[in-house]
Amino acid sequence: MDFDLTDEQRLIRETARDFTDKEIVPRARENDRNHHFDTELVGRIAAQGYLGAIIPREYGGAGLDYVTYGLIVEEVGRGDSAMRTVVSVQTSLVCSSILRWGTEEQKQRYLPRLCSGEWLGCFGLTEPDTGSDAANQKTRARKTDGGWVLNGSKMWISMGNHARVALVFAQTDPELRHKGVACFLVDTDQPGYQPQTIEGKMGLHGSDTASISLDDVEVSEDQMLGEVGDGFKIAMTALDSGRYSVAAGCVGICQGCVDESVRYSKERQQFGRPIASFQLVQAMIADMVVDTEASRMLVWRAGFLKDAGRPNTTETSIAKLYATEAAVKCANTAIQVHGGAGYVDDHPVERYFRDVRVTTLYEGTSQIQKLIIGRAATGINALVPA
Ligand code: CAA
């Protein structure tokens, strides 16, 4: 077993670390306070090649492997989860789906524009009444002479307001359940596509989150990704990549909690000495270190399996479950180390605490990850009545 990164991977990680510290970290608090989706910063992230890291160079990507992609996402996630969400959605959910399921023409049309950041993409799977039960799509696709007409609504869509292309999942025949789902590449300037910002989020204030209504949106035949009936598998394979990316971002949050807590506890004096010298503070830091390292190893293993082309759905769910829950714990513990100072946004741990909470919800809740892991362990699908 080899835990060493290659020289190239180390260099890319260092570059991502520097970039995050110079470009992302200094803007994170103001973007969060102002609820500002920083498109200018998204452009800089794209210029680094981080929006198409795992996409081959011939389509405008950086042609990197999954482990290296995970290292980049970890650093961006340490800096700002709102920006990490952009990287995850654009790269893992949108680009990787087009790469895997698209025709040559679709790849040529969309991937270079998405990798360069000229266009943003969004992933329209979740609906107001369809969350964990993703096969139960209420959005309808009706066949016409020249293509399809889409009607329905989508919910919790990251970048729904800013996307130029939306992957929209829709049911072509409800009787077929998941075998009737199709996926469409919808140009968002088409009549009938109407996004609306979702207000009042607990965190990710620097991220754009929208609901989308689809009212007689006409799409041509060549805007379908894959075939009728491929839609559900497209969503699941996208989520295999997306969950990996969320997990890697959470390793970044864990690491950020450790770094901030070590720094603060060495500066902060109580009872005449730094609080880092107290055993109970060290115990909190040790718990965070262990959670960080364990999460990172699980992410690296999932990345290794992806790069080897081996099945990895269960291992990805294990990494996602563990790293997101660990990051929630670390953010809470880091605030405890900071005391009152952790309750305001002078320190990033306050933002970590709010931003991390969604990671055990989106791209499959912790409970869904447990059902995937439990099914692999027992061979029994808990979602099918006995
Ligand atoms: N890769 C390829 N195929 C897969 C697959 C995978 N990972 N997982 C399942 N499939 C295939 C199965 O093999 C099966 O194929 P056949 O029909 O050929 O047999 C088919 O898909 C149906 O599979 P299941 O029976 O497992 O389907 P299910 O209805 O029981 O659902 C589930 C399983 C795991 C619960 C799934 O519905 C799920 O993951 N739900 C959670 C949805 C989710 O994560 N939503 C997040 C939204 S995206 C988001 O948050 C984005 C954002 O903007 C940040």
Side-chain angles (χ1 to χ4, degrees), residues 85 89 93 100 123 125-126 131-135 156-158 177-179 232-233 236-237 239-240 243 313 361-365 368-369 371-372 375 381 383-384:
T85 297
V89 171
L93 297 182
R100 169 136 186 209
F123 186 76
L125 178 67
T126 303
S132 294
D133 186 7
W156 311 119
I157 307 303
S158 301
R177 223 180 118 82
H178 77 268
K179 290 187 193 312
F232 189 70
K233 286 187 188 175
M236 291 300 111
T237 51
L239 287 165
D240 278 345
R243 288 168 183 164
T313 298
L361 308 174
Y362 70 11
E363 307 217 17
T365 60
I368 287 294
Q369 309 313 323
L371 292 181
I372 293 170
R375 174 162 59 178
N381 184 351
L383 293 166
V384 176

Side-chain angles (χ1 to χ4, degrees), residues 95 107 113-114 130-131 157 166 172 176 215 230 243 284 297 300 305:
C95 288
K107 290 183 207 176
R113 292 177 169 107
L114 290 165
T130 298
I157 307 303
T172 62
L176 295 177
D215 191 8
D230 284 344
R243 288 168 183 164
M284 288 193 278
M297 290 301 117
W300 285 12
L305 291 171

Side-chain angles (χ1 to χ4, degrees), residues 133-147:
D133 186 7
N136 190 22
Q137 293 287 306
K138 304 273 194 255
T139 297
R140 290 286 175 267
R142 184 169 49 80
K143 189 83 190 78
T144 60
D145 283 347

Side-chain angles (χ1 to χ4, degrees), residues 134-205:
N136 190 22
Q137 293 287 306
K138 304 273 194 255
T139 297
R140 290 286 175 267
R142 184 169 49 80
K143 189 83 190 78
T144 60
D145 283 347
W148 298 83
V149 173
L150 308 179
N151 278 288
S153 48
K154 298 291 171 181
M155 190 72 183
W156 311 119
I157 307 303
S158 301
M159 304 198 285
N161 287 302
H162 289 265
R164 174 71 171 68
V165 57
L167 263 64
V168 172
F169 295 85
Q171 180 57 265
T172 62
D173 180 353
E175 303 221 327
L176 295 177
R177 223 180 118 82
H178 77 268
K179 290 187 193 312
V181 176
C183 177
F184 297 90
L185 291 155
V186 176
D187 289 341
T188 58
D189 53 10
Q190 273 170 244
Y193 179 98
Q194 191 55 56
Q196 191 173 2
T197 302
I198 294 176
E199 307 283 359
K201 289 179 298 184
M202 173 190 281
L204 287 190
H205 293 158

Side-chain angles (χ1 to χ4, degrees), residues 11-72:
L11 182 66
I12 290 172
R13 180 170 66 178
E14 286 310 313
T15 307
R17 192 168 287 167
D18 283 355
F19 175 82
T20 296
D21 287 337
K22 287 200 185 98
E23 302 286 350
I24 299 179
V25 170
R27 301 178 185 217
R29 184 172 76 163
E30 286 314 302
N31 286 339
D32 177 69
R33 280 190 175 180
N34 297 326
H35 292 229
H36 175 55
F37 182 65
D38 192 339
T39 50
E40 206 258 336
L41 182 55
V42 171
R44 291 185 193 204
I45 290 171
Q48 285 291 111
Y50 296 165
L51 296 187
I54 45 175
I55 302 304
R57 287 176 183 277
E58 60 184 299
Y59 298 116
L64 298 175
D65 55 76
Y66 260 93
V67 170
T68 312
Y69 171 50
L71 299 173
I72 293 169

Side-chain angles (χ1 to χ4, degrees), residues 258-286 288 336-338:
V258 172
D259 295 348
E260 293 299 325
S261 298
V262 168
R263 186 180 14 242
Y264 183 79
S265 65
K266 285 167 97 170
E267 282 167 16
R268 172 77 175 163
Q269 303 265 335
Q270 287 295 286
F271 303 101
R273 54 195 174 114
I275 61 169
S277 67
F278 293 117
Q279 291 181 5
L280 291 177
V281 172
Q282 286 199 11
M284 288 193 278
I285 290 172
M288 288 189 276
Q336 199 65 26
V337 172
H338 282 70

